[in-house]
Amino acid sequence: MPAPVIEFRHLSKSYWEADQEHVVLNDVNGEVHEGEFIVLFGKSGCGKSTLLNLISGIDAPSRGDILVEGQSLTGMSEDERTLFRRRHIGFVFQSFNLIPTLTVRDNLLLPLELTGQLDNGGRTRLADMLEELGMAHQMDYYPDRLSTGEQQRIAIARALIHIPSIILADEPTGNLDHDTGQDVLNLLDQLVRRAGRTMIMVTHSREVIGLADRLMTIRDCRLEESNRE
Amino acid sequence: MGDCHRTNWLSCRFVIAVLLLVLVLPGCGEESAGRSSEPISVSNVLRGDAAQAFARVEEPREFIFPADHGPHDEYRTEWWYFTGNIDDGEGQRFGYQLTFFRFRPKADETGSASRWRTAHFYMAHFALTDINNEKIHTFERFSRGAAGLAGASTGALHVWLDDWSAGTTSTETFPLRIRAREDRIALDLNLQQGKAVVLHGDDGVSVKNSEPGNASYYYSYTRMPTEGRVSVGDRIYTVQGNSWMDREWSSSALGKEQLGWDWFALQLSNDHELMYYRFRRADNAPDRFSYGAVVLPDKRVHTLGFDQVELDVLDTWVSPGSGVIYPSAWRLRVPEYELDISIRPALADQELDLSFRYWEGAVEFDGTFGASNVGGRGYVELTGYGTDSAPRTR
Amino acid sequence: MNNILFRSSRHFFLRHPWQLGLAVTGIALAVAVVVSVDLVNQSARYSFERSTETIVGRATHRIVGGPAGLDERLYTRMRVDHGVRDIAPVIEAHVTLEKNEKRETLTLLGLDPFAERTFREYAWFNNLQNPEGEGVFIPMLTERNTVLLDAVTANRLGIGRDDEAVLVTGGRSIPVRIAGVLADSTPGSSQSPDSLLLADIATAQEVLGMPGRINRIDAVLGDGDSRAKSTLEALLPDGAALLPSTTRTRSLKQMTGAFHTNLTALSLLALLVGMYLIYNTMTFMVMQRRPLLGRLRALGATRWQLGAIIAMEALLVGLAASIAGLLLGVALAHGLLQVVNRTINEVYDLLTDSSLTLSNLSLLKGALLGIAGTLLAAIPAALEATRVTPRQALIRSHLERSARRLVLPTSLAGVVALGAGITVIQLSSPSIELGFSGIFIIILGITLLIPLVTVVLMACLKPLLGAGFGISGRYACQSVTASLSRTTAAIAALMIAIATVIGIGLMVNNFRLSVDRWLQQTLRAEMYVSLPSTGTTASAHALDAGFADAILALPQVKAVSSVRRINIESSRGRTELAAYGLNETAWKGFQFKQGEADEIRPAFEQEDTVIVSEPYAWRHGLKQDDVLELRTDNGYRSFRVLGVYKDYGSDQGVVSLSRRTYERHWRDDRYSGFGIYTLPGTDMEELRSQVQQLAPGRDLWLQDRNKILQTSLEVFDNTFVVTDILRVLAAIIAFIGVFSALMALQLERSQEHALLRAMGFLPGQVRRLIMSETGLLGLVAGLLAVPVGCIITALLILVINRRSFGWTMELHFSADIVLQGIALGLAAALLAGIYPAWKISRAEPAEALREE
């Protein structure tokens, strides 16, 4: 079996608020294999987003180790983690995914610029993606002219455009109505799953859970794994 | 007749205090001016050289006129004092008083290029009693004796303070012209000499009490035919009558035990004049320095000692303004002359409530002189009445 | 509901202490500046009234003479011969009192106590600080050199009763004895004297050396008592005039009126900037809380409740800030007063009280301005709060979209305002207040044009920056346009601040340059001699012709020119007259704006003619060939105006005539000063001691040309200290405003920055982004500030200075102000960007993202 794409051992995270320690994650272990679709499940505020942040290197754990694509994040400086994340991770948030002062096009170009892929390959990908989304005519719009559903779809495109190996999605359909959310999920399915990329999604939607390969539940700051039910 | 030296002159203490008060508190002044509110005690205010620094009245001197009508600068205080009873011949009667005081606080003198620098200060009182309308008008002024604003000329009788003046009008001393004016009251009179000058006391040396040097030089003109004009508001009256002039100068003060005096200047219908003053003492005993004089028609003068005149107060008057009680009728007798007269003020309220308070007013009297009846008019001055004997301001 | 609202406010404030602190500080400072200037202005006004009341007393009129004052015998005649009662003689002069190595300039009043009953409030005399209450008047009246001194000055100089001090006047030193100290104000008396030396009139005559003369006769005439007035006038000799007292107060106020108006305008500028601060803070706070506000609306809060909340917050902020501002303002006023007093003393030769009059009206005004300004500035934010719908709360861009729609109408309004401002200025001559209003309107117009300029500039810069820096470059430009309502406000504030700093600074520079040039040209002699400027022209202590002859006899001296300066009072007010005895060289010192120097000279010397300085021509509407009436010793006479010349020495203006003309109409044989022309190679020090020896025992003022130049410029610089202080304060307030605005702009985009970090932007990259955004704003502000600053300078010179003082000045713009402006703008903006940049780079993006 090939090495897992993501591996975390004895991961703990707590933060301090007014002299009180809040433990978010306590000795969490797990691994994700390439191409897997993991759903992170759990009550609100119990650390799902935190785990995503740790995996992506946005945050550093209090204890434990994270390995992504064989590289240990815990040994890296913040700058190194940032650079790593830039290249390897694509993020989709629940909201505020797009820079409001950049056009759709520029929003999509931003990751390309960051990763030095502003060459023809990148631009072609951009054009193709927009075509595929059916939003090529909105290339020069600013995000505020798009509906929330459209914004999320662009957000997904932005998360993918630099061909990251891992997609992290934090409740991507949380702000959307059922039908739009469905569209978004279909898109994710199409662009991520079918392309064989690894995805970890935090969600409450039972339907999505049904689509996942595995289910990770965080309860009482600990991780429980189960196969999908 | 006296060999004793009497004094009659307005108490130096009072005059000094008044002038100093006035100089310290310029807020006081004329009838209508505003007053300052704080009483100042005399001893606190008094500040000037002691009497010893000035020339003193000790011995008789030769009086030379008209030179002696002028000021005697080496003495501390001096005045020119005019009173009179006048009427317009149709029943309108007036009494007037016009006095100019000179005061010198310091014996030494500083020279100066400025004509305002002087050692002498002047105060003047002007009072007109409108007997028919039962009103007295009183005015007071102050000035420095410099820059021509006030003063007395040497060598002749001419004294003035602003536009009030008394003085000669020609090379001759008489007639004197006296003029005073304030608000809507005006006086413009000519005074003839009348009888010759009368030197009081011992050839003009008038002793006031037992301390040596406490005396003044003092002379009077006792019956001066007068004519002129009096203005009250819009009405002008042509008047005539008789005036009385007192002149006095000295450097020293009254004694502590002497509270004040009552002074009478009476012009009798039989061409006699009687002048009498008596000091009132704290212990109510008669003051032996009280003094009087009778001027006979032939111009001879007989002096009267304190024991030769009997004066009884017949009535009193309470001033509505100040609450002070003044005597208001007298019986005066000079047994030696068989003189017995009762004296009444022409108007009860002739109080002058100025920088210091005193009563001075026209009076009329009648009675007997020997076998015949006699009457007349005159002036009476009452000082030192009231709860506080010190001059004060309201 | 209200509970929640209030708690949310408080919570919000606690979480953003910076914002609140900055807003309060800014408004407090603005209120402080306004209050302090107002207090100082009021103090000066009261002090004029008080000193006038002290010096004029209740006199309704005064009789004045010519340069030699009045003959004292006039007074005696009026009193003794004509029975005039309510008059009093007065001698008045400025003198210096020295004690314990300290010296002060005071007013010496020589009075006659006997005449003074009706005139002055003597309640303070009753409270003479004499423990035994002894009279002081006898010594004052009978002894020489005995004076009374006011308590305030006595304290300052460390003098008590019976102490000796030295009185200096006309170059002479005279020992005097202080017979008493005039008490501080007593109950019931409104005035307490300050800087006052009281003496008997005889003493004053002796000390000032004017036997036989007095300065004036005060008179009290009843209202409408025209008979008394004409009686008095009939008694006056030629050369004397009966004037109402009000002219004195009026001319005092008028003299310094322009000065005070300028101060007030500066202070209002500070307030304006402070208001901007509030606008910015309130708007930021609404923006931050839009989600909360939206939810509150969803919960049932009405629009007006939300608006009211914002208004309440603004009110509280305004209240707190105003109170702080009042306290600060009073403290500031104390310091400001000293500077202003010194200026007024030096420039106008007037004495003002050294103590501050705390006017409740000023304090109230300041507090109300602070609160009103705060509320006014918060209105846009409050209105915005009322417009929040539950749904819109989530869409930040809504506000900005509507803002962008307003760009064109706003610009239109701006153009209209510009036009209006220019019209106001054109039509409002000679009003200073309207001139300032016009300038404010023009600035407002320019401010309204900023959105358009910004949009255009950004549109131009975007491709450039995009080419240079890629998306980040475009990003920075776009951010500016995206938050237009906020960025333009920040730009406006910064621009105004920089423009003011530049504009006023440039104006002062130009002014200084003009004065310098003028001095160089006017001062033709190598050395100047005069008496220290105290005393009175009636004094016999002045310099005389003999002194001039003695100087001319010195071997190194080639020529001597002379001047006599006097003040003439007439029903039109006070006129300063200068009578010159000039030679060819000296004549060249005059720079004529109207009239040809060579053509004028003969008529100037021979005929009844004058030349007037610019301010005088301006104030009295005179030009060449007009006729001017002056009150001479022989009554009113007409003089033809030959020309108008440049003179920065006095802002009231001077009428100059030749010595010959002067002596024809005024009986005065004295001089105020001489100009000494020397042979080349003369040793100035040697000459100075030789001249001093010609007047032993007199304290002469003897200066060579260079020293005068230097000292004059020092006086000039001192004069503008106040302006500088206010300028700096206004700039500080503006910078605070900009600072907080830019910070707010960045901080509210913390989620955006977090997104960037999440996307893999390094902290350094985000920092650079932030700095470049603020830098752009600063650049725009700086660029705009340059022309605006120049406009302000031009307006100040051409409009305000001209109308306030009548001066024309040169107008130079140097290239380095352009650099100055841009540099200042960039610096301020970058400074403002530092904190957010630092903060963002420190924050863990996780925290920011957690807020979602």
Side-chain angles (χ1 to χ4, degrees), chain A residues 108 129 133 152-162 187 191:
Chain A
L108 291 173
M129 270 186 162
L133 289 173
Q152 281 302 69
R153 281 154 63 200
I154 299 294
I156 291 167
R158 192 226 45 220
L160 292 170
I161 196 162
H162 57 295
L187 189 63
L191 293 175

Side-chain angles (χ1 to χ4, degrees), chain C residues 38 95 113 129 149 197 213 242 410 416 447 457 550 598 664 791 794 818:
Chain C
D38 202 35
V95 298
Q129 293 175 359
L149 180 62
L197 206 61
R213 318 294 305 174
L242 178 69
T410 311
V416 169
T447 311
L457 243 149
D598 298 322
R664 265 205 300 280
I791 291 175
V818 178

Side-chain angles (χ1 to χ4, degrees), chain A residues 13 15 50 53 58-60 78-83 85-86 89 91 93-102 105-111 113-114 118 142 144-145 158, chain C residues 394-397 401 404 462 469-472 474-475 478-479 482-483 749 751-752 754-765 841 843-847 849-850 852:
Chain A
K13 178 69 183 173
Y15 63 93
T50 310
N53 289 342
I58 288 177
D59 219 341
E78 188 177 342
D79 278 4
E80 286 167 332
R81 280 186 274 129
T82 306
L83 290 171
R85 174 170 69 254
R86 184 190 286 191
I89 313 272
F91 240 118
F93 298 102
Q94 181 177 16
S95 54
F96 301 112
N97 269 300
L98 300 176
I99 306 290
T101 47
L102 290 175
R105 193 163 162 278
D106 277 339
N107 264 292
L108 291 173
L109 279 174
L110 203 51
E113 192 181 89
L114 274 178
L118 273 178
Y142 284 94
D144 59 2
R145 283 184 72 178
R158 192 226 45 220
Chain C
L394 299 173
I395 307 177
R396 270 166 55 227
S397 55
R401 228 200 328 240
R404 278 196 290 274
K462 204 161 26 153
F469 301 97
I471 300 173
S472 317
R474 286 203 291 277
Y475 183 11
Q478 192 55 37
S479 317
S483 320
R749 289 168 44 201
Q751 275 157 347
E752 205 172 300
L755 177 63
L756 291 173
R757 292 293 316 282
M759 283 172 59
F761 270 75
L762 290 168
Q765 284 178 302
S841 62
E844 307 267 359
E847 288 191 35
L849 291 172
R850 196 182 294 125
E852 289 182 61

Side-chain angles (χ1 to χ4, degrees), chain C residues 29-57:
Chain C
L29 263 183
V31 170
V33 170
V34 170
V35 163
S36 68
V37 167
D38 202 35
L39 281 176
V40 165
N41 280 349
Q42 292 283 30
S43 263
R45 200 177 333 218
Y46 286 149
S47 137
F48 287 150
E49 281 163 13
R50 267 149 73 152
S51 76
T52 303
E53 166 82 35
T54 305
I55 290 173
V56 165

